[in-house]
Amino acid sequence: MKLQLYLHCSRSFNRENAVGSRKSTQAIGAPSKTEKLLITNKVTTNFYVSLCTPISYASFSWPAAFSRFKKANGFTLIELLIAMAIFAVMAALAFGGLRSVITTSSGVQSQIERLEALQRTVMFMERDIRQLAPRPVNTDSATKKNAVDTEVDGVVLIEFTRAGNPNPGGLTRSSLQRVRYQFEEGVLTRLTWDQIDHLQAADPVEMKLLDQLNGVSFRLLDANNKWQTKWVQGVAQLPLAVEITLDHKQWGKIRRLVPVFGF
């Protein structure tokens, strides 16, 4: 170690002072023990300094044993707290954005479902009215019911016979169908019977079409081009056209004019 040179010089200097009287007894020109030690240090270290000259510590490097005392690189507690705070703020912003997207998506999906229900309702009503058939209904009391009947009671809006009832299974039944639209507590419902006569003996197929309605109304155009709200033109008489009005809570009044093709 380079530090040993300074220690040897100090020890030699102290020893020389302690045995100064003995130095005079040695032969002139012969190196003393202290000088031999200094000469040895000069040769091994290549440092030519005098006996009493202190060696500057700035010219020496620290040994490897002291490297573990150097400051280690890393994050302080304050830096970690700041990083955690920034992460928490970013997470809160991300969660807020995600919740907004989910809420918007749910609202849009609900609107899509309501619009699809409205389109399905209009499709069923237009298809049924276009295929009106002049076929009255035979009741259990041996009387005939009109092919088209309106305002039967406070619930039933319109009831009629329609053609074009599909029969993919080839069952023994007519292609005619009895259809009824009724409105109750803001809900429009479609009921159908595959048989025309004696409806009291058969159970209808019920389908909920549309809700959130304020009202539903029908107007029928007779042969004199006059609109009628109650059809009393004859047992087998059909209107020329039917006007449908749906009063929806969200979309307001929706009107459709449907021509009747006849049978």
Side-chain angles (χ1 to χ4, degrees), residues 169-189:
L171 303 177
T172 307
R173 62 171 177 81
S174 172
S175 61
L176 299 178
Q177 189 179 43
R178 192 69 178 179
V179 181
R180 176 186 295 172
Y181 285 94
Q182 64 184 30
F183 176 72
E184 186 176 11
E185 297 181 355
V187 179
L188 179 63
T189 307

Side-chain angles (χ1 to χ4, degrees), residues 190-194 203-207:
R190 179 178 183 264
L191 294 87
T192 59
W193 291 264
D194 287 336
D203 296 327
V205 177
E206 184 173 344
M207 179 188 298

Side-chain angles (χ1 to χ4, degrees), residues 49-71:
V49 295
S50 63
L51 181 64
C52 300
T53 302
I55 300 175
S56 176
Y57 289 100
S59 61
F60 297 99
S61 60
W62 287 99
F66 293 96
S67 61
R68 65 176 180 271
F69 295 104
K70 294 183 178 180
K71 181 180 179 181

